[in-house]
């Protein structure tokens, strides 16, 4: 890889446009396009202080009035010399500046290259570097909080502590075996068992948090299912807080699947409003119902909507059948009207039943609190120890499994080397998380998913 000076636009549109540079020529390159209002060059100004001035391309007229700053290692995010231009957000201005930098031999940064340089230069471990991507993509405050904690070392610090304990145990074993004449305390299986047991418990706990972390990070596919005119579209509009779906009293109004994202505390619910389930000969409506059933088959949560003001019908029973054995909530709508529905039948079929009026909002708060509870996120702590990364979760599971095998070996009286071999397998898996032993191919794949400028 070319380790020269790189530059990229680090903002995605808006009133402010930031150009970042990292590498040995960062300040020199900005000197060529930026004129401090007080005179001199940016590189002659104190590091880490904003300087006001103008951008002038190839000695021409001022193109923009902006701020610039240069930074010197080790007090930089990449561990290299860095500089920034903080301009107005005009795409034309930013493009002119980038073209001028290219003419000076500054290279366009690749995806995630700033963060990759931070990893290579020891400013971040790999777990923290991956948290940058999570933080950029966070769509809830809780997801951002969890990612920020990981960026500050919540995962990496815990993993290094466990890895160091296992390394010390293994090193002690090797010292006893390799230097029998030295006065070294003997290797005690009792001590090893305590270390390995503690490590396995922590690693399994972290690995098991991935499912909740994935839900928080990616959102939850949720389908609203019901026969026509039960209030499915009204429910979607109520959850959204705006009119998104067309609502009429004519059965079969909804023909296609309509997906919207609803935030319920820490949960992003990817809600799909679907065609009403019923027997029909209309080809278009029948296709809409087939799409509804396909969507329901892949959803994590089904909101099965029933009309409180009408008796259960054969179409309602079809909806019940689709929700059987799934994570589902019976949403008994129109509770503001006189009740005609068989609530006992619904309660026998569903563990979770919530009467609501999507029209008036009654009961909707109970529904929105129940969903995070079903997903195990209602009392979650977003301290960075909720794993959101599949690669990390897989490595944690492997490390925990090897610790478990080492513990079984120690308790079963196996030879020292068999126990140590499993412990070393756990150490290797933990090193993959922090990047202490990870292949270039994996690193390339990780940073290829980043956006340019990060």
């Amino acid at each position: 890889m070319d380790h020269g000076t790189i530059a990229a636009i680090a903002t995605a549109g808006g009133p402010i446009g930031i150009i970042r540079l990292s590498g040995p020529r960062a300040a020199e390159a900005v000197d060529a396009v930026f004129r401090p209002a007080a005179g001199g060059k940016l590189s002659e100004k104190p590091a880490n202080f904003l300087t006001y001035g103008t951008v002038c391309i190839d000695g021409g007229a001022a193109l923009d009035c902006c701020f610039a700053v240069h930074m010197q290692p080790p007090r930089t995010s990449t561990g290299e010399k860095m500089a920034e231009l903080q301009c107005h957000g005009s795409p034309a201005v930013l493009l002119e500046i980038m073209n001028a930098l290219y003419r000076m031999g500054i290279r366009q940064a690749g995806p995630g290259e700033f963060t990759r340089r931070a990893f290579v230069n020891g400013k971040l471990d790999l777990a923290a570097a991956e948290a940058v991507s999570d933080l950029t993509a966070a769509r809830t405050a809780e997801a951002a909080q969890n990612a920020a904690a990981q960026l500050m070392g919540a995962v990496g610090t815990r993993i290094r502590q466990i890895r160091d304990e296992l390394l010390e145990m293994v090193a002690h074993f090797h010292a006893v075996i390799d230097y029998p004449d030295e006065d070294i305390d003997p290797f005690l299986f009792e001590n090893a068992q305590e270390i390995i047991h503690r490590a396995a418990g922590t690693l399994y706990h972290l690995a098991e948090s991935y499912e909740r972390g994935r839900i928080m990070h990616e959102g939850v596919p949720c389908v609203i299912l019901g026969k026509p005119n039960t209030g499915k579209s009204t429910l979607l509009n109520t959850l959204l807080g705006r009119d998104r779906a067309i609502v009429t009293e004519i059965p079969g109004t909804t023909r296609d699947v309509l997906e919207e994202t609803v935030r319920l505390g820490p949960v992003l619910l990817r809600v799909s409003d679907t065609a009403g389930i019923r027997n029909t000969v209309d080809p278009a409506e029948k296709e809409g119902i087939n799409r509804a059933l396909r969507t329901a088959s892949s959803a994590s949560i089904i909101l099965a909507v029933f009309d409180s003001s009408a008796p259960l019908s054969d179409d309602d029973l079809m909806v019940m059948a689709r929700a059987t054995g799934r994570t589902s909530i019976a949403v008994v709508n129109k509770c503001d009207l006189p009740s005609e529905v068989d609530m006992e039948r619904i309660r026998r079929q569903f563990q979770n039943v919530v009467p609501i009026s999507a029209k008036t909002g009654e009961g909707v708060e109970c529904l929105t609190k129940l969903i995070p509870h079903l997903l195990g996120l209602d009392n979650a702590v977003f301290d960075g120890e909720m794993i959101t990364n599949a690669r990390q979760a897989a490595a944690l599971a492997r490390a925990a499994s090897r610790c478990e095998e080492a513990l079984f070996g120690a308790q079963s009286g196996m030879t020292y080397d068999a126990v140590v071999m499993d412990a070393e397998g756990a150490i290797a898996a933990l090193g993959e998380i922090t990047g202490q032993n990870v292949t270039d191919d994996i690193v390339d794949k990780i940073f290829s998913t980043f956006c340019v400028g990060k």
Side-chain angles (χ1 to χ4, degrees), residues 383-424:
D383 57 0
E385 293 196 4
M386 187 180 296
I387 302 301
T388 58
N389 183 289
R391 186 192 71 85
Q392 294 175 18
L396 284 164
R398 288 200 309 275
S401 177
R402 295 301 295 270
C403 282
E404 196 172 67
E405 291 169 7
L407 182 60
F408 175 78
Q411 293 172 338
S412 303
M414 290 186 179
T415 58
Y416 291 161
D417 56 340
V419 175
V420 168
M421 183 174 65
D422 284 321
E424 288 176 336

Side-chain angles (χ1 to χ4, degrees), residues 108-131:
Q108 166 71 52
E113 191 168 357
F114 289 94
T115 309
R116 180 169 186 156
R117 290 188 177 203
F119 165 64
V120 170
N121 292 325
K123 304 295 286 188
L124 297 173
D125 65 28
L126 196 55
E130 288 177 301

Side-chain angles (χ1 to χ4, degrees), residues 69-379:
V69 60
H70 74 99
M71 295 153 276
Q72 297 294 321
R75 297 178 61 188
T76 67
S77 62
T78 63
E80 303 175 331
K81 292 182 179 180
M82 294 189 69
E84 282 188 2
L85 284 163
Q86 301 179 8
C87 308
H88 293 91
S90 163
V93 169
L94 298 176
L95 184 58
E96 282 295 310
I97 296 172
M98 290 298 295
N99 285 334
L101 295 175
Y102 297 152
R103 289 194 294 272
M104 286 182 274
I106 306 303
R107 178 170 60 81
Q108 166 71 52
E113 191 168 357
F114 289 94
T115 309
R116 180 169 186 156
R117 290 188 177 203
F119 165 64
V120 170
N121 292 325
K123 304 295 286 188
L124 297 173
D125 65 28
L126 196 55
E130 288 177 301
V132 172
S133 181
D134 282 356
L135 187 55
T136 303
R139 291 185 287 172
T140 67
E142 291 81 3
Q145 182 181 339
N146 194 73
Q150 291 183 350
L151 178 57
M152 292 185 287
V155 173
T157 299
R158 177 66 70 91
I159 296 304
R160 282 193 297 274
Q161 288 173 346
I162 296 171
R163 189 172 184 271
D164 288 347
E165 282 192 329
L166 293 174
L167 274 171
E168 186 176 350
M169 180 193 76
V170 169
H172 189 104
F173 162 77
H174 284 302
V176 170
I177 297 301
D178 294 342
Y179 304 101
D181 297 332
E182 299 292 332
D183 186 19
I184 302 174
D185 293 335
F187 182 82
L188 299 177
F189 263 0
E190 292 80 5
N191 295 342
Q193 289 176 29
E194 181 181 346
I195 292 170
I196 297 169
H197 183 270
R198 184 168 60 247
T202 301
L203 295 173
Y204 272 127
H205 173 74
L206 287 171
E208 288 167 357
S209 73
Y210 172 64
E211 183 57 29
R212 288 178 295 128
R214 184 188 63 79
I215 287 170
M216 178 187 68
H217 182 63
E218 298 177 4
V220 185
C222 169
V223 65
I224 302 176
L225 211 60
K227 70 181 182 183
N229 285 3
T230 55
K232 301 185 301 300
S233 297
T234 304
L235 174 59
L236 174 63
N237 290 340
T238 300
L239 292 173
L240 284 172
R242 59 186 174 87
D243 289 341
R244 175 65 178 88
I246 298 173
V247 177
T248 76
E249 295 181 0
I250 303 172
T253 299
T254 302
R255 295 292 182 95
D256 206 348
V257 176
L258 178 65
E259 181 174 310
E260 288 288 338
T261 300
V262 177
R263 178 180 170 180
L264 303 178
V267 177
L268 278 175
L269 210 60
R270 304 202 311 269
V271 185
S272 296
D273 182 24
T274 60
I277 306 300
R278 67 171 178 172
N279 288 313
T280 180
V281 296
D282 184 311
E285 187 179 0
K286 187 175 289 187
E287 175 58 25
I289 292 170
N290 289 335
R291 292 186 183 189
L293 297 177
R294 287 196 297 269
T295 303
S297 68
S298 59
S300 296
I301 293 182
I302 294 176
L303 301 182
V305 184
F306 302 95
D307 184 348
S308 175
S309 67
L312 292 174
S313 66
D314 289 342
D315 295 333
D316 288 314
L317 299 183
M318 289 172 61
V319 174
M320 285 186 177
R322 286 290 171 175
T324 298
R326 308 288 301 280
T327 301
S328 58
I329 301 172
V331 181
V332 185
N333 192 26
K334 305 183 184 181
C335 70
D336 53 315
L337 301 177
S339 179
E340 296 288 338
V341 75
D342 186 348
M343 286 294 291
E344 289 303 314
R345 176 72 181 273
I346 294 175
R347 291 187 190 280
R348 286 197 301 270
Q349 187 75 20
F350 293 89
Q351 287 187 332
N352 303 288
V353 180
V354 182
I356 73 161
S357 170
K359 183 177 180 179
T360 68
E362 181 183 350
V364 173
E365 185 177 356
C366 293
L367 176 63
T368 59
K369 288 182 177 179
L370 176 60
I371 292 171
H373 173 72
L374 288 180
L375 297 171
L377 288 171
D378 51 336
N379 294 313

